[in-house]
């Protein structure tokens, strides 16, 4: 038996080993898969409506579509993780497949793209109100470029996780993720993904609130006031979407904080990610509610369908 064969066998043994699974692993996996399946279906439907409905072909909706795409890709990546996790839990094995690290990398990139998209939406609303005459920044071409830049930066941002080897397979939680401990990558992740976008969004939100209050105190054209109030409402909706993720992401944040001082609980990632899956479903449902052109399209379709059903019913009654 040559050295190559021996090395291959040793790698297989290291990558695959029998583990004890808790009774709640598989039910939780199935519940999480159900949540993510709903998120993916809603995300595909949302983007499909934006593509086929011409009233959705506007810059604001295009920016919303970018954040929806980030959530959809994030959910698809997590869905792949869960399927792999369920398979390992059913077999009661710990096995790191070839795509494990890539899924961990893609997950971080998608999160960065999602928060970056929220920040870009807030900036667009701010410029529309404060600098309404600067039409250059409101052009589709410019916003498309900025969207592309956000996505490129998101994927570049995630590379330190791979380069430093911080994305590791956690057998207890059946996931490839950066361990929760005090390190450069964790601090870097917190600052780039959360601190900068969230503070930017809140800064814009507060600035718009103060601006609306100020113009209400002086003589201002009605259309200027209504536009400012409308854009403030849109930024408020962005704050709500972010808040849903932050509130349901509290367990995740707590475990990161614990990791700075000691070892987190054994199954911390299973618990933390379960809340993230719920948050994604709530955010996707809220996105339908907040995106008026998409909501209008769905209402029209439902009314048309109900009218058709009512007409057919009436015809059947008349025939009888």
């Amino acid at each position: 038996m040559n050295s190559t064969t021996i090395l291959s066998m040793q790698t297989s043994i290291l990558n695959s080993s029998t583990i004890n699974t808790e009774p709640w692993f598989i039910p939780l996996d199935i519940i999480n898969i159900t949540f993510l399946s709903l998120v993916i279906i809603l995300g595909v439907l949302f983007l499909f409506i934006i593509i086929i409905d011409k009233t959705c072909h506007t810059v604001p909706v295009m920016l919303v579509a970018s954040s929806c795409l980030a959530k959809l890709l994030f959910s698809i990546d997590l869905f792949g993780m869960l399927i792999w996790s369920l398979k390992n839990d059913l077999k009661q094995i710990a096995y790191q497949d070839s795509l494990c690290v890539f899924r961990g990398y893609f997950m971080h990139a998608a999160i960065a793209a999602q928060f970056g998209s929220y920040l870009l939406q807030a900036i667009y609303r701010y410029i529309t109100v404060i600098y309404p005459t600067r039409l250059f920044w409101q052009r589709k071409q410019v916003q498309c470029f900025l969207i592309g830049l956000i996505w490129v930066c998101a994927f570049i941002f995630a590379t330190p996780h791979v380069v430093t080897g911080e994305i590791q397979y956690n057998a207890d939680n059946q996931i490839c993720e950066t361990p929760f401990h005090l390190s450069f990558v964790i601090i870097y992740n917190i600052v780039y993904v959360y601190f900068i976008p969230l503070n930017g969004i809140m800064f814009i939100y507060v600035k718009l609130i103060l601006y609306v209050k100020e113009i209400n105190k002086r003589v201002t054209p009605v259309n200027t006031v209504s536009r400012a109030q409308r854009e403030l409402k849109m930024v408020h909706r962005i704050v709500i979407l972010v808040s849903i993720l932050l509130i349901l992401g509290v367990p995740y944040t707590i475990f990161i904080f614990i990791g700075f001082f000691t070892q987190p609980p054994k199954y911390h990632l299973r618990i933390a990610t379960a809340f993230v899956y719920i948050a994604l479903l709530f955010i996707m449902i809220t996105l339908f509610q907040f995106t008026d052109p998409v909501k209008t399209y769905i209402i029209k379709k439902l009314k048309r369908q109900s009218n058709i059903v009512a007409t057919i019913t009436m015809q059947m009654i008349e025939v009888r």
Side-chain angles (χ1 to χ4, degrees):
M1 187 178 293
N2 58 39
S3 59
T4 304
T5 306
I6 294 172
L7 181 62
S8 177
M9 290 176 63
Q10 289 175 341
T11 303
S12 177
I13 292 171
L14 287 171
N15 286 346
S16 179
S17 58
T18 303
I19 60 171
N20 293 323
T21 58
E22 299 292 338
W24 53 273
F25 281 3
I26 294 174
L28 184 62
D29 288 341
I30 294 171
I31 291 171
N32 290 337
I33 287 172
T34 303
F35 280 134
L36 282 182
S37 297
L38 292 173
V39 174
I40 292 170
I41 291 170
L42 291 174
V44 171
L45 176 62
F46 189 90
L47 293 176
F48 177 73
I49 292 173
I50 290 176
I51 292 171
I52 64 172
D53 186 16
K54 291 183 179 180
T55 61
C56 295
H57 298 174
T58 61
V59 172
V61 178
M62 181 176 68
L63 293 171
V64 174
S66 176
S67 62
C68 178
L69 179 62
K71 278 186 280 291
L72 178 60
L73 294 178
F74 180 51
S75 300
I76 292 172
D77 183 68
L78 293 176
F79 186 82
M81 284 186 182
L82 275 174
I83 294 296
W84 168 65
S85 175
L86 177 61
K87 186 175 74 171
N88 285 356
D89 287 340
L90 287 170
K91 294 180 179 179
Q92 294 189 336
I93 61 171
Y95 172 67
Q96 178 180 347
D97 69 341
S98 58
L99 293 176
C100 185
V101 174
F102 173 77
R103 285 194 294 264
Y105 161 77
F106 194 87
M107 176 181 66
H108 286 286
I111 295 172
Q114 183 173 339
F115 280 95
S117 296
Y118 286 142
L119 178 59
L120 186 58
Q121 285 183 61
I123 292 172
Y124 174 80
R125 302 292 182 180
Y126 179 80
I127 292 175
T128 302
V129 174
I130 307 299
Y131 307 106
T133 58
R134 298 185 183 181
L135 301 179
F136 173 79
W137 297 102
Q138 300 177 34
R139 293 171 58 185
K140 277 187 179 181
Q141 296 86 341
V142 174
Q143 293 303 317
C144 281
F145 170 77
L146 293 175
I147 289 172
L149 186 62
I150 287 291
W151 281 90
V152 170
C153 289
F155 280 96
I156 292 174
F157 140 79
T159 53
H161 291 266
V162 179
V163 174
T164 58
E166 281 290 315
I167 298 179
Q168 300 172 12
Y169 172 60
N170 187 312
D172 293 325
N173 296 277
Q174 297 287 8
I175 189 173
C176 277
E177 172 63 301
T178 305
F180 292 170
H181 61 97
L182 187 59
S183 66
F184 165 76
V185 171
I186 287 291
I187 301 299
Y188 168 74
N189 189 53
I190 292 171
V191 172
Y192 184 87
V193 177
Y194 303 103
F195 185 80
I196 294 176
L198 293 179
N199 278 275
I201 292 168
M202 291 310 300
F203 174 78
I204 290 171
Y205 182 52
V206 172
K207 288 279 288 183
L208 285 178
I209 290 175
L210 296 175
Y211 178 77
V212 170
K213 288 182 177 180
E214 183 183 340
I215 62 175
N216 281 328
K217 292 179 181 178
R218 62 173 187 258
V219 180
T220 310
V222 177
N223 62 333
T224 302
V225 176
S226 61
R227 182 177 66 246
Q229 291 174 339
R230 183 176 65 251
E231 300 304 335
L232 174 60
K233 181 181 177 182
M234 294 300 105
V235 176
H236 177 67
R237 289 177 174 181
I238 295 171
V239 172
I240 291 175
L241 290 173
V242 172
S243 299
I244 293 172
L245 191 56
L246 290 178
I247 291 170
L248 288 173
V250 166
Y252 206 92
T253 305
I254 291 173
F255 290 136
I256 290 177
F257 184 73
I258 291 173
F260 287 167
F261 305 99
T262 185
Q263 187 70 22
K266 188 175 182 179
Y267 302 119
H268 62 287
L269 285 172
R270 290 183 185 267
I271 298 168
T273 53
F275 284 91
V276 173
Y277 305 143
I278 297 171
L280 286 171
L281 182 57
F282 277 119
I283 289 172
M284 195 60 73
I285 293 171
T286 308
L287 201 61
F288 274 89
Q289 178 65 27
F290 284 172
T291 311
D292 294 331
V294 173
K295 185 170 67 172
T296 302
Y297 177 87
I298 294 173
I299 292 172
K300 284 182 180 179
K301 286 292 181 182
L302 292 175
K303 284 184 177 179
R304 187 179 302 174
Q305 190 67 28
S306 62
N307 289 338
I308 292 172
V309 172
T311 303
I312 293 173
T313 304
M314 291 296 295
Q315 291 175 349
M316 292 176 63
I317 293 172
E318 289 176 0
V319 170
R320 290 179 182 176

